């Protein structure tokens, strides 16, 4: 099998939220080694910015789970992503800028959600610009590392929480 030649060939697909965010089993600490990527729709989740304010509840969201490269170039308005591709013959990784990735994949994933959440580490705290395909739908992104948690409230119901130093909304050009 030939290595990927374009962003369009990435196996970026819809997955169940708990699988995608590595929440299928109990963990006491973040799992920073997960290399899964894809997207999911969730009815609600919480964005917890440790350095900012109280957690924010986001409803009817499209969650895009992608990963910043291990040693990304420091860009002020973009993030270098790395995708780990597993194939029968060999495993390898490819890199692409977040802006180019969103231009290609966001239109295919959108289906009328009220919010978009990038479950993505942003090690250099890049200020993300609003993707054209998102229109006026707010795009939430983190500053620093992102950890996913499955919390249970006092009624025994669970909810997804994404934790980072801070959360921001992409800026319109």
């Amino acid at each position: 099998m030939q290595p990927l030649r374009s962003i369009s060939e990435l196996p970026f697909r819809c997955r169940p939220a708990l699988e995608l965010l590595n929440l299928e089993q109990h963990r006491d600490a973040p799992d920073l080694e997960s290399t899964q990527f894809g997207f999911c729709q969730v009815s609600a989740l919480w964005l917890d910015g440790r350095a900012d304010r109280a957690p924010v509840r986001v409803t009817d969201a499209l969650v895009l789970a992608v990963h910043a490269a291990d040693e990304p170039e420091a860009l002020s308005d973009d993030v270098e992503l790395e995708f780990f591709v597993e194939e029968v013959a060999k495993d390898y990784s490819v890199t692409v800028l977040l802006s180019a990735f969103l231009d290609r994949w966001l239109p295919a994933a959108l289906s009328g959600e009220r919010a978009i959440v990038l479950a993505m580490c942003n090690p250099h705290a890049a200020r993300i610009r609003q993707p054209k395909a998102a229109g006026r739908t707010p795009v939430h992104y983190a500053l620093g590392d992102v950890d996913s948690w499955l919390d249970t409230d006092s009624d025994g119901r669970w909810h997804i929480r994404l934790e980072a130093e801070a959360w921001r909304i992409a800026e319109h050009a």
Side-chain angles (χ1 to χ4, degrees), residues 63-83:
V63 178
L64 302 176
V66 293
H67 302 277
D70 280 340
E71 295 181 23
E73 182 178 343
L75 303 169
S76 63
D77 63 351
D78 216 335
V79 176
E80 182 183 6
L81 302 178
E82 185 170 16
F83 293 90

Side-chain angles (χ1 to χ4, degrees), residues 43 49 56 127 157 161:
S43 59
V56 174
R127 296 176 75 186
R157 292 176 296 192
R161 177 173 48 96

Side-chain angles (χ1 to χ4, degrees), residues 47 53 128 130 137-141 167-172:
L47 301 179
R53 53 188 181 263
I128 306 301
Q130 180 79 1
T137 304
V139 176
H140 300 264
Y141 68 94
W167 287 90
R168 301 289 182 261
I169 295 177
E171 301 173 356
H172 289 272

Side-chain angles (χ1 to χ4, degrees), residues 118 120-122 125-126 140-146 164-168:
L118 300 178
M120 167 196 79
C121 295
N122 183 355
H140 300 264
Y141 68 94
L143 302 181
D145 289 341
V146 175
E165 283 303 312
W167 287 90
R168 301 289 182 261

Side-chain angles (χ1 to χ4, degrees), residues 13-173:
R13 63 184 187 276
C14 186
R15 302 174 112 166
L18 298 183
E19 173 190 321
L20 180 64
L21 299 172
N22 197 27
L23 296 171
E24 290 182 307
Q25 53 192 343
H26 176 74
R27 324 187 302 266
D28 293 325
D31 180 4
L32 300 176
E33 298 304 315
S34 175
T35 59
Q36 296 185 84
F37 57 88
F39 65 94
C40 65
Q41 285 90 11
V42 296
S43 59
L45 63 92
W46 290 88
L47 301 179
D48 186 356
R50 296 180 296 256
D52 281 314
R53 53 188 181 263
V56 174
R57 186 171 190 259
V58 177
T59 60
D60 192 22
L62 172 67
V63 178
L64 302 176
V66 293
H67 302 277
D70 280 340
E71 295 181 23
E73 182 178 343
L75 303 169
S76 63
D77 63 351
D78 216 335
V79 176
E80 182 183 6
L81 302 178
E82 185 170 16
F83 293 90
F84 294 91
V85 181
E86 297 176 10
E87 293 187 358
V88 176
K90 71 175 191 176
D91 297 343
Y92 59 94
S93 70
V94 294
T95 60
V96 65
L97 291 178
L98 173 66
S99 57
F101 175 79
L102 291 176
D103 284 346
R104 166 56 189 98
W105 281 103
L106 190 55
L110 274 174
S111 60
E113 290 82 7
R114 293 176 52 198
I116 299 166
V117 176
L118 300 178
M120 167 196 79
C121 295
N122 183 355
H124 299 294
R127 296 176 75 186
I128 306 301
R129 288 172 285 164
Q130 180 79 1
K132 287 181 184 174
R136 304 214 47 81
T137 304
V139 176
H140 300 264
Y141 68 94
L143 302 181
D145 289 341
V146 175
D147 299 320
S148 59
W149 299 100
L150 190 60
D151 297 330
T152 306
D153 64 20
S154 59
D155 294 331
R157 292 176 296 192
W158 60 269
H159 63 269
I160 295 170
R161 177 173 48 96
L162 299 179
E163 184 180 75
E165 283 303 312
W167 287 90
R168 301 289 182 261
I169 295 177
E171 301 173 356
H172 289 272

